[in-house]
Amino acid sequence: ACLPEGVDRLPAKARLQVLQKYISSFQYNHTDRQYFNVAKNRPMARVMDTAKDIIRRALPIKCLEAVFLGLYLTSGMLELDRIPLGFKTCV
């Protein structure tokens, strides 16, 4: 899926809704295969490169890849407050 033209001119709330819908359009990766480098201890520029790669390749993603997409797609939105958090998955 492609982002609609002019999404960068939408008000923040509307833009976030469009970006969430875009991220949700990616298939979930239910396999054991990891398609992208999801190391979090890399420079932000490398994380952004991974997000661009996710968009370009349009392969299924897991949660951390969706976080990378969210960071990349909202990086120019200065009106957003970002709160760092961590989580561990339990099965």
Side-chain angles (χ1 to χ4, degrees), residues 27 29 45 68 70:
Q27 295 282 327
N29 179 4
F68 287 5

Side-chain angles (χ1 to χ4, degrees), residues 1-74:
C2 294
L3 283 172
E5 197 168 315
V7 70
D8 55 329
R9 294 188 298 275
L10 292 173
K13 185 176 180 178
R15 187 181 327 170
L16 286 174
Q17 290 171 336
V18 169
L19 296 177
Q20 178 62 58
K21 186 174 180 181
Y22 174 71
I23 292 170
S24 295
S25 74
F26 282 81
Q27 295 282 327
Y28 185 80
N29 179 4
H30 292 279
T31 70
D32 291 334
R33 180 151 187 219
Q34 192 68 50
Y35 296 113
F36 305 100
N37 180 354
V38 292
K40 297 177 284 184
N41 60 347
R42 301 180 292 153
M44 183 60 87
R46 298 293 71 83
V47 170
M48 296 300 201
D49 288 343
T50 299
K52 292 177 203 173
D53 192 35
I54 293 167
I55 292 169
R56 190 179 87 259
R57 294 172 61 194
L59 294 170
I61 61 173
K62 293 186 178 181
C63 185
L64 199 49
E65 289 101 325
V67 171
F68 287 5
L69 284 174
L71 279 170
Y72 174 69
L73 294 170
T74 62

